[in-house]
Amino acid sequence: LYVSHNMATIRNLCTRCIVLDKGKIVFNGDVEKAVSIYMDQSSSELFAYYGKDFFLKKLYDTGMTAVEEMELLNKHTARYHTGETMHLRIRWRAMADIKDVRFGISIKYIDAGNIGFAESPHTCSCQANASYESTLAFEISNLAEGIYYMHLCIYTQNEMGELQSIYETDKMYFEVMELDKGKIIWHRQYWGSIRLNSIKLLQNVCLET
């Protein structure tokens, strides 16, 4: 029995699939049909747009800023091919004067395993009671295939170089899909979720025949 969110591995290993939805079997049969049903099913949480209602629930909030809207640019659902860059447009409001505003994104795998944190080295200033629109580019090419979720963070940096979070959103899901069939099957249980930069073969010499 093989359980996975990795569609490429399922296609390579399985001849029959069962799709579950909240613990109930919704399909039992052909692999490609199962993959199609799963993709349609999971797309219900892979939103490319989040409005004000979503941001009423926050993971962390100091009351200094508030995100009001977020959009994944050029996407109908939050699905990316390996090698793509994620572009986000964020509309947010400042409730205080802040000189050093930075953005960050923390990433976890769907099973809540920590993946990493991306920070913006660039800063901006904001004025109290003003609205802003920020566009971010986030490189995700090193993520292995699978479903992840992210938290968008707004923070400042103190004199010691430590981050001071002032706002953090709830979970926002996205999926990375591997289309290159020439790549090796990824074993997350051994290797994690990050594809490190490739190794270059500089020389291969036969020393003995």
Side-chain angles (χ1 to χ4, degrees):
L1 179 65
Y2 179 68
V3 181
S4 179
H5 294 286
N6 188 313
M7 297 299 105
T9 308
I10 288 171
R11 285 185 169 111
N12 285 330
L13 297 180
C14 302
T15 57
R16 183 169 65 89
C17 287
I18 293 173
V19 181
L20 299 177
D21 184 15
K22 298 179 176 66
K24 295 182 179 181
I25 296 175
V26 295
F27 179 78
N28 183 346
D30 177 70
V31 173
E32 289 303 322
K33 180 65 175 176
V35 169
S36 177
I37 290 173
Y38 166 80
M39 300 298 276
D40 289 340
Q41 182 188 92
S42 61
S43 66
S44 62
E45 292 194 13
L46 299 175
F47 301 123
Y49 173 82
Y50 293 88
K52 288 185 178 181
D53 290 344
F54 172 81
F55 295 109
L56 293 175
K57 181 181 179 182
K58 284 88 66 175
L59 195 66
Y60 182 74
D61 185 12
T62 61
M64 298 175 68
T65 61
V67 175
E68 298 178 337
E69 191 176 17
M70 195 204 77
E71 179 184 8
L72 300 176
L73 297 180
N74 304 315
K75 289 290 177 181
H76 297 294
T77 59
R79 285 198 174 96
Y80 292 85
H81 301 147
T82 50
E84 278 193 274
T85 299
M86 180 184 292
H87 291 90
L88 309 88
R89 182 165 56 212
I90 305 155
R91 292 180 182 172
W92 57 285
R93 173 172 288 276
M95 271 70 81
D97 294 336
I98 310 173
K99 293 182 179 180
D100 182 17
V101 177
R102 297 169 183 254
F103 295 97
I105 295 175
S106 62
I107 300 291
K108 293 191 177 186
Y109 191 57
I110 194 170
D111 64 2
N114 287 315
I115 302 301
F117 180 77
E119 59 177 311
S120 68
H122 306 291
T123 66
C124 58
S125 298
C126 61
Q127 298 177 343
N129 301 315
S131 295
Y132 297 88
E133 182 175 283
S134 302
T135 303
L136 310 177
F138 177 37
E139 179 61 59
I140 59 172
S141 61
N142 277 19
L143 289 180
E145 184 181 66
I147 297 178
Y148 301 82
Y149 64 84
M150 63 182 178
H151 299 285
L152 174 67
C153 312
I154 300 176
Y155 63 93
T156 59
Q157 187 175 15
N158 64 22
E159 296 178 355
M160 303 296 293
E162 297 175 327
L163 301 183
Q164 295 181 325
S165 182
I166 56 179
Y167 186 92
E168 191 167 351
T169 68
D170 202 6
K171 298 177 183 178
M172 295 181 285
Y173 289 87
F174 67 97
E175 182 175 16
V176 176
M177 303 171 62
E178 178 60 73
L179 294 185
D180 184 356
K181 294 183 179 180
K183 282 194 174 181
I184 60 171
I185 295 174
W186 190 262
H187 296 285
R188 181 171 272 99
Q189 67 271 35
Y190 306 125
W191 305 331
S193 294
I194 300 295
R195 286 184 180 268
L196 299 178
N197 294 333
S198 60
I199 300 170
K200 294 181 179 179
L201 178 62
L202 301 179
Q203 188 177 29
N204 185 50
V205 179
C206 179
L207 300 177
E208 188 176 323
T209 60

